[in-house]
Amino acid sequence: MDSHRFGAEVYARRLAAAAEATAKAGLDGLVITPGYDLRYLSGSRAQTFERLTALVVPAAGDPTVVVPRLELASLKGSAIAELGLAVRDWVDGDDPYQLVLAALGGPAAVAVTDSMPALHLLPLAGAFGVTPVLATDILRTLRIVKEECEIDALRKAGSAIDRVHARVPEFLVPGRTEADVAADIAEAIVAEGHSEVSFIIVGSGPHGADPHHSYSDRELRAGDIVVVDIGGAYEAGYHSDSTRTYSLGEPSAGVAQQYSLLQQAQQAALEAVRPGVTAEQVDAAARDVLASAGLAEFFVHRTGHGIGLSVHEEPYIVSGNDLPLTAGMAFSIEPGIYFQGRWGARIEDIVVVTEDGALPVNNRPHELVVVPVS
């Protein structure tokens, strides 16, 4: 099987579920342009260009792919050929939006993927005579609960990024820059089986207090606390994402004590995960530990985000999200504390909701990792 996608039967099942959900929403069809939704439904890694490529999924009937003739080859790496989907190719001078209309049997009430460019959305609305609605609610119900093959892919990705974190201490040498360390990590991410590097954060010293710092030419120094948040695409495009925090030399008593509280907060959130608990209750479990220690103002972001084909997707583990958790949901648990101009720390694991709790896919120790310095 192509390591970039699952077998055709997985996509056939997803397409049928998408059609059923579309019908239940009272719509006539979906129009999906390249992006994560198209990849979810077909395994296609096609890209968006000025020429329209779209998967048309009627609520009743067979799906059709509308694609420029010169982009036909881009479908070869997907399950579209194996599924036997109808393909309507077009050349410059044709009107591809009319082909979409024809694939649905005429004017229809349709939903479109939320990543569709305005370049295609506006002509499509003109062809249908009405602005389509977003397919977000329809596809969210499918993508938010992972199938067994997806969970397996996430577990493999988690193990691979754990192996990278196991190597990180050897890269953290005073005098080297954050960029030097990031280059080594990028090489290790690929060496451990990822198809691509999605992001690397190496936040040393005061840079660790910026949750979305990437890396810079700052040189590492003895005494630094270093936040390393890394991830990439693994089997079938499912992502890893894990953060560990390192200390170059023994940390001060104050840093060790505050980090211990962060560790307790992350563990509290993990223990709160089970079906029926809401996303905001998991967020509160982490936040309450830090608040009780007077650290609430230093935890400045949500506790987690969903993960799958996209690094950030639903469910979001954040205050105000009363979504009940369901077995099969996958998301990060990553509380952090950030002291501007000084240091920061974060602990992040990806977990999958089980029937009675949570299954972490990351299993590196959560303690502050002390890297000996000479």
Side-chain angles (χ1 to χ4, degrees):
M1 183 182 72
D2 186 338
S3 64
H4 295 306
R5 63 175 175 85
F6 299 125
E9 71 284 353
V10 171
Y11 300 104
R13 185 167 62 245
R14 292 176 179 179
L15 285 168
E20 181 180 355
T22 301
K24 286 182 179 179
L27 297 168
D28 299 312
L30 299 175
V31 182
I32 309 297
T33 46
Y36 291 120
D37 288 335
L38 181 63
R39 190 163 181 178
Y40 177 80
L41 292 171
S42 72
S44 173
R45 298 164 63 88
Q47 299 180 31
T48 291
F49 300 105
E50 72 274 14
R51 297 179 177 89
L52 178 73
T53 292
L55 171 66
V56 183
V57 184
D62 297 325
T64 297
V65 179
V66 174
V67 59
R69 190 166 297 166
L70 54 78
E71 297 295 335
L72 275 172
S74 68
L75 302 182
K76 290 182 179 179
S78 72
I80 288 172
E82 295 175 42
L83 291 169
L85 301 187
V87 175
R88 298 194 177 188
D89 62 322
W90 60 280
V91 296
D92 291 344
D94 294 339
D95 185 343
Y97 308 101
Q98 290 300 320
L99 294 179
V100 173
L101 194 68
L104 289 167
V110 298
V112 300
T113 183
D114 60 10
S115 61
M116 180 179 287
L119 176 70
H120 297 312
L121 175 62
L122 297 180
L124 191 67
F128 280 88
V130 62
T131 302
V133 300
L134 290 177
T136 307
D137 289 342
I138 295 171
L139 295 175
R140 171 173 48 203
T141 59
L142 305 183
R143 288 182 56 183
I144 200 170
V145 176
K146 268 52 180 181
E147 302 169 84
E148 199 56 46
C149 59
E150 295 175 283
I151 293 171
D152 184 58
L154 288 170
R155 292 180 71 172
K156 290 176 181 176
S159 294
I161 210 67
D162 280 357
R163 295 192 297 271
V164 178
H165 267 296
R167 295 183 57 190
V168 166
E170 69 186 73
F171 306 144
L172 298 176
V173 177
R176 305 191 75 214
T177 67
E178 293 174 348
D180 292 335
V181 175
D184 286 339
I185 290 173
E187 185 176 325
I189 288 174
V190 174
E192 293 298 346
H194 290 76
S195 59
E196 61 186 65
V197 178
S198 297
F199 58 90
I200 295 175
I201 293 174
V202 180
S204 64
H207 289 168
D210 176 3
H212 278 177
H213 176 73
S214 53
Y215 49 84
S216 73
D217 290 331
R218 181 186 185 274
E219 293 185 357
L220 275 60
R221 306 168 191 169
D224 277 350
I225 305 300
V226 186
V227 178
V228 177
D229 184 349
I230 53 179
Y234 201 75
E235 183 175 273
Y238 283 75
H239 282 84
S240 62
D241 183 2
S242 180
T243 308
R244 292 295 185 265
T245 302
Y246 302 82
S247 177
L248 299 190
E250 290 293 335
S252 68
V255 167
Q257 189 267 341
Q258 289 172 319
Y259 184 88
S260 176
L261 290 165
L262 176 63
Q263 197 174 334
Q264 293 173 40
Q266 207 259 355
Q267 183 65 26
L270 175 64
E271 292 176 355
V273 176
R274 61 183 181 276
V277 169
T278 64
E280 64 181 354
Q281 286 175 314
V282 176
D283 178 82
R287 205 165 297 278
D288 289 350
V289 171
L290 296 174
S292 66
L295 295 174
E297 67 180 289
F298 303 107
F299 180 17
V300 297
H301 54 72
R302 64 197 173 203
T303 294
H305 57 81
I307 192 168
L309 287 171
S310 175
V311 177
H312 287 186
E313 59 185 48
E314 297 196 50
Y316 293 103
I317 311 304
V318 63
S319 176
N321 186 1
D322 62 0
L323 176 74
L325 302 182
T326 301
M329 290 181 176
F331 48 82
S332 66
I333 294 181
E334 52 175 308
I337 47 176
Y338 308 96
F339 304 97
Q340 290 303 311
R342 297 168 55 203
W343 65 282
R346 184 165 60 254
I347 306 169
E348 177 184 17
D349 295 321
I350 300 301
V351 303
V352 179
V353 183
T354 64
E355 295 296 338
D356 57 2
L359 171 70
V361 305
N362 300 110
N363 294 290
R364 293 292 301 164
H366 295 124
E367 289 76 20
L368 182 62
V369 180
V370 178
V371 181
V373 294
S374 55

